[in-house]
Amino acid sequence: MSSKSLLLVGSGPGIGLSVAKLFASKGFTRIALLSRDLARLEQEAQAVASSSATKVEVKVWSVDVTAKEPYIKTLKEVGAWINEKLDLVVFNSARVHGANFFQVDEDEFVKDFETTTLALHNTFQYTLPYLQNHAVAHPSFFVTSSRIAETPMPEVFTLSVVKAAQRSLVLSMQQVFGKDVHIALVYVNARVGREDGKGLIAPEKIAGEFWNLYEDGKGEWRGDVDVQ
């Protein structure tokens, strides 16, 4: 079985960890996890490595995706570790917080944009060559999103605004690069959790939709999927 590699930007105990564990169990043998919290990343790396019956190499990088130079340096380090051969990028980076229309801290607004949109642009720019560097059936770049990009929620209006910008960027990426790389949005349309009867979406269900999307055959690549 050939080696497959995953770069997960914005690892965390919900969607990120579930995606990494599922893809490890499905045969991905080299997984890079990026987030700011090194202690949590190290715990998640152990969980991912133990989720597969076969050996999985998991390496973590603690980095702020909005700090451009350190982030690009990290992406280059990931590229060296995977021998510049990448099968899948999952971009799961976001900031979620309430925001009053006229009292919002403008610096926080900018930080939201940097986290979801500028960091996505940098990620795609520096990983596209890795996705194109070897012949694979499913060179893929998936972005966690929400329908608030189209139907905004005023209580999280800054997130709604930057998710709209992020969606526009992804659609542009699809138009230019979509014939060679499977670029798609995964719309998560409820809060993530496991409490029955609370209208929550289990992270494992979301991870399953990422896998289903990854399995699309070329010529049948979907540009988005909704998780309800």
Side-chain angles (χ1 to χ4, degrees):
M1 182 175 61
S2 61
S3 173
K4 290 185 179 181
S5 54
L6 162 67
L7 166 60
L8 175 59
V9 180
S11 185
I15 296 172
L17 179 58
S18 293
V19 167
K21 289 171 66 176
L22 178 60
F23 278 78
S25 73
K26 296 287 189 178
F28 276 66
T29 57
R30 188 166 287 189
I31 296 176
L33 304 178
L34 275 60
S35 185
R36 290 185 299 175
D37 190 331
L38 181 58
R40 193 194 68 232
L41 280 171
E42 290 174 342
Q43 294 178 348
E44 291 174 356
Q46 294 178 5
V48 172
S50 64
S51 65
S52 174
T54 58
K55 182 179 179 181
V56 180
E57 295 181 77
V58 186
K59 191 167 181 178
V60 302
W61 279 265
S62 174
V63 65
D64 182 349
V65 299
T66 69
K68 183 175 180 179
E69 290 186 7
Y71 183 49
I72 291 172
K73 178 175 180 289
T74 295
L75 292 176
K76 291 179 178 179
E77 289 176 0
V78 173
W81 182 61
I82 60 174
N83 298 318
E84 299 188 351
K85 297 178 180 179
L86 184 60
D87 294 83
L88 171 64
V89 177
V90 172
F91 188 87
N92 186 53
S93 182
R95 301 173 78 236
V96 182
H97 58 88
N100 181 287
F101 271 110
F102 303 118
Q103 296 176 353
V104 64
D105 186 315
E106 290 187 3
D107 290 339
E108 291 296 305
F109 207 155
V110 171
K111 196 78 168 179
D112 290 347
F113 181 75
E114 291 173 338
T115 302
T116 60
T117 309
L118 290 182
L120 171 61
H121 182 269
N122 288 330
T123 305
F124 191 69
Q125 178 181 356
Y126 284 91
T127 61
L128 179 62
Y130 306 149
L131 290 165
Q132 296 176 325
N133 201 28
H134 63 149
V136 296
H138 307 280
S140 303
F141 193 110
F142 300 154
V143 179
T144 307
S145 187
S146 166
R147 288 294 178 183
I148 65 171
E150 302 168 34
T151 307
M153 296 176 62
E155 58 269 30
V156 285
F157 85 92
T158 62
L159 180 63
S160 300
V161 170
V162 299
K163 278 296 184 182
Q166 183 189 67
R167 177 178 180 271
S168 180
L169 175 56
V170 173
L171 295 181
S172 297
M173 289 160 48
Q174 288 174 345
Q175 291 180 48
V176 179
F177 303 101
K179 291 183 179 179
D180 300 318
V181 177
H182 185 186
I183 302 167
L185 290 153
V186 178
Y187 293 112
V188 179
N189 297 315
R191 290 187 300 116
V192 180
R194 295 186 176 86
E195 295 182 55
D196 293 337
K198 299 294 184 180
L200 306 179
I201 303 176
E204 294 83 3
K205 179 179 180 180
I206 299 166
E209 292 299 332
F210 274 92
W211 178 256
N212 292 339
L213 196 62
Y214 177 75
E215 285 203 303
D216 284 356
K218 190 168 185 179
E220 299 178 348
W221 286 347
R222 289 170 289 167
D224 59 58
V225 64
D226 281 275
V227 191
Q228 307 288 357

